């Protein structure tokens, strides 16, 4: 059995931010933490956090030509009237991104997913049009 080589390091500061984000109490709206890969240093860096942001506004904030990991605390309205706040990992990887960056991003996804402790991953490759409330609802409720 071969051991997996970790190409991109996740610094403790990023792990701490993810943990704090994960355990934050939310009772309304969606929140997100955006993580990028620093290609020169081969480390992950926290880019930004958003509180009470709409999915459409979040999609507009993300870069059109560069991949990101977005951990989203999503306000999900169930058909029976309940509201929950599941954590979802959005793998933002626009098809217009540079190939080397996309490869690095893809190779680090599983390690990031395990570190963030998020089981549900939503792939978004077609930019803001692919990241909508309807798309996320369909993936989580369907």
């Amino acid at each position: 059995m071969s051991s997996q080589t970790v190409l991109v390091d996740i610094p403790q500061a990023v792990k701490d931010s993810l943990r704090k984000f994960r355990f934050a109490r939310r009772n309304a709206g969606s929140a997100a933490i955006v993580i990028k890969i620093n290609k020169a240093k081969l480390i992950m860096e926290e880019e930004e956090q958003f509180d009470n942001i709409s999915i459409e506004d979040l999609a507009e904030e993300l870069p059109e030509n560069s991949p990101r990991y977005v951990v989203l605390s999503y306000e999900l309205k169930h058909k029976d009237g309940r509201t929950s706040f599941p954590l979802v990992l959005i793998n933002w990887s626009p098809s217009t991104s540079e190939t080397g960056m996309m490869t690095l991003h893809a190779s680090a996804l599983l390690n990031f997913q395990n570190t963030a402790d998020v089981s549900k991953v939503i792939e978004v490759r077609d930019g803001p049009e692919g990241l909508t409330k309807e798309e996320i609802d369909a993936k989580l409720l369907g």
Side-chain angles (χ1 to χ4, degrees):
M1 191 170 212
S2 65
S3 64
Q4 187 177 2
T5 305
V6 177
L7 295 176
V8 181
D9 186 44
I10 305 174
Q12 191 59 47
V14 171
K15 291 177 183 177
D16 292 346
S17 286
L18 286 168
R19 181 173 170 74
K20 185 176 174 191
F21 180 83
R22 179 178 180 70
F23 291 110
R25 289 253 181 245
R26 293 189 175 76
N27 53 17
S30 296
I33 181 171
V34 181
I35 307 293
K36 69 177 183 177
I37 294 176
N38 180 323
K39 190 176 176 183
K41 296 180 180 176
L42 291 178
I43 62 168
M44 292 188 195
E45 298 174 339
E46 180 180 338
E47 187 171 61
E48 201 161 355
Q49 281 198 41
F50 299 98
D51 241 354
N52 204 8
I53 188 168
S54 75
I55 299 306
E56 289 71 18
D57 287 347
L58 176 61
E60 291 301 320
E61 290 288 336
L62 295 169
E64 289 184 29
N65 300 311
S66 187
R68 296 290 187 268
Y69 304 114
V70 181
V71 179
L72 177 68
S73 174
Y74 182 67
E75 183 175 12
L76 182 64
K77 305 255 188 224
H78 297 269
K79 291 179 175 100
D80 63 5
R82 291 177 302 122
T83 301
S84 65
F85 295 87
L87 281 183
V88 181
L89 173 56
I90 301 198
N91 184 22
W92 178 264
S93 47
S95 55
T96 54
S97 300
E98 186 239 323
T99 307
M101 199 64 211
M102 289 288 282
T103 304
L104 196 58
H105 182 82
S107 71
L109 175 63
L110 191 57
N111 185 31
F112 181 77
Q113 181 183 352
N114 291 337
T115 300
D117 198 16
V118 178
S119 59
K120 187 72 175 173
V121 179
I122 298 175
E123 301 279 339
V124 178
R125 299 196 186 287
D126 44 2
E129 301 80 38
L131 183 58
T132 63
K133 181 171 180 12
E134 293 74 27
E135 284 287 324
I136 294 175
D137 282 347
K139 295 249 182 4
L140 295 178
L141 294 171

